[in-house]
Amino acid sequence: MPDFFCIFTSHHLQMVDILSTKIEYLKGIGSKRAELLNKELGIVTFGDMLEYYPFRYIDKSRIHKVSEICDDTVYYQLIGTISNLQSFGSPRTTRMTAVFSDETGSIELIWFKGFKWIKDKFVRGKKYLVFGKANIFNNRFNFTHPDIEEYDPNSTLSGETLQGVYNVTETLKNHGLGTKQIAKIMKTLVLQTRDVIPENLPSELVKKDNLVSRREALYKIHLPSNANDIEKATLRLKYEEHFFFQMRMLLSKRSREQNMKSVVFPVVGELFNTFYEKYLPFPLTNAQKRVIREIRADLKTGSQMNRLLQGDVGSGKTIVALMIMLLAIDNGYQAALMAPTEILATQHYETLSKQLADMPVKVALLTGSTKQKDRKQIFSDLADGTLNILIGTHALIENDVVFKKLGLCIVDEQHRFGVAQRAKFWEKTPYPPHTLVMTATPIPRTLAMTQFGDLDVSIIDELPPGRKPVKTIHAYMEQRLSIISFMKRQIAEGRQIYVVYPLIKESEKMDLINLKEGYEALLRDFPEPEYRICVVHGQLSADDKDFEMRRFVRNQAHIMVATTVIEVGVNVPNASVMIIENANRFGLSQLHQLRGRVGRGADQSYCILVTDHKISNDGKRRMDAMVATNDGFAIAEEDLKLRGPGETQGTRQSGQIEMKIGDLTVDEPIIRQVRYRVNEILNDDATLSKPENANMKTYFYTRYAKTFDWGKIG
């Protein structure tokens, strides 16, 4: 652990003491409620509680009349009397009702629990303040479980016209910790700690970026007087959350660059130059050349390269990877390429073997299906250094795979692998190998600055010349005859077609056309022997899947019926049509990946998204986005807005970003600003030892030091 986190002053520690106090010592909590808050919400200390922010606010500044109630989405506050308290149901009471009245009319109040408390609460003729959201039942408005308190005409709201609403679980509600109780407890805590909350950002930074103090922000986020209070408090708290996240990422990056030494690749040798001059299958785009220059610069520094290579489907990431592997071999090292599926690993092996056929480079494929005899030969060649490039699945990181001199590992479709899996390569060398992780799933800018903020990022943002954009059409199921006719015309012109379904077997929950029914219908529309259809899905054995896939690759089948198993790893330039059934059941990122299976040849390609007319608003937005653009980064931004940061890459990963108040869908300007500020501070004070950074250092240490993975985040 770097030394700069080991120096404290008693003053700094005293300032954070109250925020470290166990929540059970707060008035109104106690040990049992503290245990519940810890279990349900992860709240342990005063500081945790203060950072449990409202997710919205209700305005209690206005008094309404019963006659004004007209909307079941609005909260109303009323003053009047309560009468006709009645219980219904037996032997156990199932509900209780009362009539609330003011001078303009009456409305029913309903409770389904808490009956003993309600029976003793109300006095006939006394005025009460009632607050709640109107509901409609049998065309009449009512209030269910409203907030009720005695009305005191002499009391004031003390400026607290906005009340925070907090997310609570059913368990908490059942133990008297609903949102109203949380709000009361929070008020007690805020008032108790208001004068002792330390600043955690440098004062000059707070002034420079026009932020309110942390003390004021925490007060106003919980006890705002108006919307302006909420806006200023939210900006400040978002700023600091992103600030410390970026500090963690950038310190990790700097630590790795300083401490994680690796081999140097100084030579651009014969293999690289020969391939570039004689065997390059097509001219490199300017974007590919730029990325190769960026990677070469990394490989000459002596520090371990940890670079993320983003490139849309078909942008030419694989040829860049091959040229970097040739650089490694020219410098006397071996290279490994790991892919998430056997299909994709096999495709990489076949592509690279073909491109290197006339060069003195030995390539091998290692997967779970590799025969024992072949495995022994691979292990032998790998250990004595005669094998230059090993391509495979996670089989590459098994303990019995021993390299003589591994210098470079490339991980394709990086989001399919966890950090721990990638780090397994480090155990195979006395030094960490250079690492390049690639993805064809474009990552929104905000995620690239957060989830991958400790990596250097290269982007191939240009498609090879001659590629025509895929034409995308949103069609409805009633148009199936037209779709069939179009498919037959394409096949007559020598093209091939994918038809993708979301399911393999019939589902009782979802009324979808599944793969089995779809396959049988296609057999009727495309009868043998005139047409040939192959089927690929995840429940086939590896051999059967490989057999069916090869039929399509070799143009021995006109149509491939498949599930999303073909999302990555199928490269058939002759395929010009992608039909996605029940397209609204797929995420945007997945739809874009599937679309990327076509458009790989010189012919015009098409993607047809088939849905019924009854799709959700989000489903319609996804279809509209796909039709509007082929830009994977624009698709990724829209996907982030629709699905949130945890789901945009198709599967949740450990270490997923969890923000308390930050929102990656809208916070890009803040993230850019704080990333710039953090770099500015670290450039000036790399060890955070200057007095003006003391509070910031203390806060960062108490939050992150114990879980900080110094530089080994790859």
Side-chain angles (χ1 to χ4, degrees):
M1 185 180 296
D3 293 338
F4 56 83
F5 279 130
C6 300
I7 305 168
F8 295 97
T9 70
S10 59
H11 172 64
H12 294 147
L13 289 175
Q14 285 167 4
M15 290 177 75
V16 297
D17 273 352
I18 191 161
L19 300 185
S20 303
T21 304
K22 300 291 185 186
I23 196 65
E24 65 187 270
Y25 298 115
L26 181 66
K27 185 179 178 182
I29 299 292
S31 58
K32 288 185 179 179
R33 282 183 163 184
E35 191 177 331
L36 276 172
L37 286 169
N38 183 14
K39 184 179 178 183
E40 298 293 308
L41 303 177
I43 292 172
V44 177
T45 65
F46 282 15
D48 295 335
M49 191 75 179
L50 283 171
E51 292 181 5
Y52 190 63
Y53 305 121
F55 69 94
R56 63 181 172 85
Y57 298 85
I58 50 181
D59 186 355
K60 300 186 77 170
S61 61
R62 184 182 168 192
I63 303 297
H64 297 84
K65 301 296 183 184
V66 170
S67 59
E68 294 175 331
I69 297 173
C70 60
D71 190 337
D72 63 351
T73 64
V74 172
Y75 282 84
Y76 294 93
Q77 188 163 236
L78 312 167
I79 296 174
T81 59
I82 296 174
S83 60
N84 293 1
L85 197 63
Q86 299 181 66
S87 300
F88 295 89
S90 59
R92 289 186 176 183
T93 301
T94 56
R95 76 187 157 104
M96 184 173 282
T97 67
V99 175
F100 176 88
S101 306
D102 66 13
E103 64 272 22
T104 68
S106 301
I107 188 170
E108 188 176 44
L109 309 181
I110 303 174
W111 298 268
F112 295 99
K113 57 187 176 181
F115 306 125
K116 289 182 181 179
W117 173 81
I118 295 163
K119 281 178 183 177
D120 302 328
K121 182 174 178 66
F122 307 122
V123 177
R124 188 175 183 86
K126 184 174 281 191
K127 285 195 172 183
Y128 292 92
L129 195 66
V130 173
F131 182 86
K133 186 162 76 73
N135 303 295
I136 295 180
F137 182 71
N138 285 340
N139 295 318
R140 295 183 64 186
F141 285 106
N142 65 63
F143 282 124
T144 303
H145 288 277
D147 292 339
I148 301 177
E149 58 187 78
E150 287 186 28
Y151 173 61
D152 180 359
N154 298 315
S155 69
T156 65
L157 294 174
S158 303
E160 293 172 27
T161 58
L162 293 168
Q163 180 179 300
V165 180
Y166 299 83
N167 272 316
V168 291
T169 64
E170 282 301 317
T171 302
L172 288 174
K173 286 180 187 175
N174 293 336
H175 288 80
L177 285 172
T179 183
K180 185 178 178 183
Q181 289 74 31
I182 293 287
K184 285 182 177 178
I185 291 167
M186 197 68 79
K187 181 176 180 179
T188 301
L189 176 61
V190 168
L191 294 176
Q192 184 174 328
T193 58
R194 182 181 186 182
D195 295 329
V196 292
I197 292 171
E199 183 56 74
N200 60 5
L201 295 175
S203 57
E204 189 61 32
L205 184 64
V206 172
K207 191 186 303 178
K208 194 186 294 184
D209 286 340
N210 197 26
L211 302 171
V212 299
S213 69
R214 186 160 201 258
R215 186 175 300 174
E216 185 179 351
L218 287 171
Y219 181 86
K220 289 185 174 178
I221 200 74
H222 295 293
L223 303 176
S225 298
N226 51 52
N228 189 48
D229 280 356
I230 298 170
E231 185 179 343
K232 286 184 175 180
T234 301
L235 173 61
R236 160 61 205 239
L237 295 169
K238 281 183 176 225
Y239 186 106
E240 72 173 50
E241 185 168 42
H242 290 304
F243 182 93
F244 287 107
F245 196 95
Q246 288 300 317
M247 179 160 282
R248 186 180 183 187
M249 290 291 100
L250 291 170
L251 276 171
S252 174
K253 185 172 182 288
R254 286 170 181 244
S255 178
R256 175 174 50 78
E257 290 169 351
Q258 293 166 11
N259 303 319
M260 302 294 287
K261 300 303 178 186
S262 188
V263 294
V264 180
F265 293 173
V267 177
V268 179
E270 186 178 344
L271 292 174
F272 183 96
N273 288 322
T274 301
F275 182 81
Y276 184 80
E277 292 164 8
K278 291 186 178 181
Y279 301 115
L280 200 62
F282 46 77
L284 296 179
T285 63
N286 289 330
Q288 288 172 310
K289 291 176 182 177
R290 184 189 70 245
V291 167
I292 290 172
R293 285 196 299 271
E294 290 170 352
I295 295 171
R296 277 183 55 192
D298 285 350
L299 300 177
K300 291 189 287 187
T301 64
S303 294
Q304 186 220 12
M305 177 182 75
N306 232 13
R307 186 169 284 274
L308 171 68
L309 175 57
Q310 291 190 71
D312 214 340
V313 175
S315 62
K317 296 182 299 301
T318 305
I319 202 72
V320 168
L322 171 54
M323 297 190 74
I324 301 307
M325 288 191 279
L326 292 176
L327 266 180
I329 300 166
D330 273 335
N331 284 275
Y333 289 90
Q334 295 164 300
L337 171 57
M338 184 166 71
T341 65
E342 195 162 320
I343 294 170
L344 185 52
T346 303
Q347 178 186 301
H348 279 315
Y349 171 72
E350 291 174 350
T351 301
L352 267 61
S353 295
K354 184 178 178 181
Q355 290 170 339
L356 296 171
D358 297 321
M359 295 188 66
V361 177
K362 190 167 185 178
V363 185
L365 174 68
L366 180 65
T367 70
S369 302
T370 303
K371 294 178 181 177
Q372 193 60 35
K373 179 184 175 183
D374 295 330
R375 291 174 77 91
K376 285 184 179 179
Q377 186 62 53
I378 288 170
F379 293 162
S380 173
D381 293 345
L382 202 61
D384 66 21
T386 57
L387 180 58
N388 305 113
I389 298 173
L390 181 60
I391 300 169
T393 57
H394 60 275
L396 299 191
I397 57 178
E398 291 173 0
N399 292 333
D400 52 358
V401 179
V402 180
F403 293 81
K404 181 181 181 182
K405 210 173 180 185
L406 177 64
L408 172 70
C409 62
I410 297 174
V411 181
D412 197 13
E413 291 306 323
Q414 59 79 30
H415 62 277
R416 304 291 183 97
F417 296 100
V419 172
Q421 287 174 298
R422 297 198 295 269
K424 282 272 189 181
F425 278 115
W426 299 8
E427 299 172 9
K428 300 181 180 298
T429 63
Y431 39 78
H434 295 296
T435 302
L436 181 70
V437 292
M438 306 194 299
T439 180
T441 305
I443 300 167
R445 290 182 295 272
T446 47
L447 277 183
M449 288 187 290
T450 49
Q451 194 165 356
F452 304 101
D454 63 315
L455 301 182
D456 295 304
V457 179
S458 290
I459 299 175
I460 303 178
D461 51 7
E462 183 182 359
L463 289 177
R467 288 280 179 94
K468 295 178 181 177
V470 178
K471 288 185 179 177
T472 304
I473 300 139
H474 178 201
Y476 294 101
M477 291 180 178
E478 300 88 272
Q479 298 171 276
R480 194 163 301 284
L481 289 177
S482 298
I483 295 171
I484 297 296
S485 298
F486 175 73
M487 292 169 67
K488 288 182 176 178
R489 289 197 300 274
Q490 287 287 304
I491 292 171
E493 292 173 12
R495 306 274 75 84
Q496 291 168 276
I497 297 168
Y498 297 102
V499 182
V500 176
Y501 295 87
L503 296 178
I504 296 173
K505 294 181 179 179
E506 182 180 358
S507 168
E508 295 177 358
K509 294 182 180 179
M510 292 185 287
D511 182 21
L512 304 177
I513 298 175
N514 59 49
L515 182 144
K516 184 180 177 183
E517 288 179 346
Y519 173 64
E520 291 170 354
L522 285 169
L523 284 175
R524 293 191 293 272
D525 291 316
F526 297 88
E528 294 181 336
E530 184 180 358
Y531 300 100
R532 295 181 300 279
I533 303 175
C534 63
V535 183
V536 176
H537 57 74
Q539 293 186 5
L540 291 176
S541 68
D543 288 343
D544 288 344
K545 198 185 299 179
D546 186 59
F547 174 78
E548 292 290 281
M549 198 76 78
R550 288 183 185 279
R551 284 181 64 204
F552 194 68
V553 170
R554 293 168 181 167
N555 203 2
Q556 296 168 352
H558 300 106
I559 300 171
M560 175 186 283
V561 179
T563 58
T564 54
V565 70
I566 63 156
E567 181 185 344
V568 294
V570 183
N571 183 18
V572 183
N574 192 52
S576 65
V577 181
M578 167 64 68
I579 297 171
I580 305 174
E581 296 284 356
N582 296 105
N584 54 301
R585 299 290 182 179
F586 296 86
L588 256 179
S589 180
Q590 204 169 33
L591 289 171
H592 183 64
Q593 284 288 311
L594 289 169
R595 176 168 61 183
R597 297 305 102 205
V598 297
R600 292 170 169 262
D603 299 291
Q604 180 62 60
S605 291
Y606 304 86
C607 177
I608 302 173
L609 309 170
V610 184
T611 72
D612 60 21
H613 283 281
K614 296 178 181 178
I615 60 174
S616 67
N617 290 333
D618 278 358
K620 184 68 167 62
R621 278 180 66 181
R622 290 197 297 276
M623 300 307 105
D624 291 345
M626 288 291 293
V627 171
T629 182
N630 280 275
D631 182 345
F633 288 95
I635 292 287
E637 293 289 345
E638 182 65 18
D639 202 25
L640 179 63
K641 292 174 188 173
L642 284 168
R643 297 204 290 167
E647 297 289 351
T648 49
Q649 299 198 43
T651 180
R652 287 188 178 272
Q653 295 291 319
S654 59
Q656 175 193 320
I657 303 161
E658 291 184 7
M659 295 283 177
K660 293 181 179 179
I661 197 167
D663 182 351
L664 297 184
T665 64
V666 296
D667 289 350
E668 185 185 343
I670 300 175
I671 296 170
R672 284 189 179 280
Q673 175 76 348
V674 300
R675 191 172 176 87
Y676 175 79
R677 292 299 191 208
V678 171
N679 269 316
E680 205 174 38
I681 289 168
L682 293 177
N683 288 338
D684 176 64
D685 183 16
T687 59
L688 301 180
S689 57
K690 290 188 175 182
E692 60 265 32
N693 293 326
N695 284 3
M696 178 180 67
K697 182 171 89 172
T698 300
Y699 179 85
F700 183 76
Y701 177 86
T702 56
R703 286 306 180 94
Y704 294 114
K706 291 179 182 176
T707 58
F708 199 43
D709 192 357
W710 295 102
K712 295 188 176 182
I713 302 174

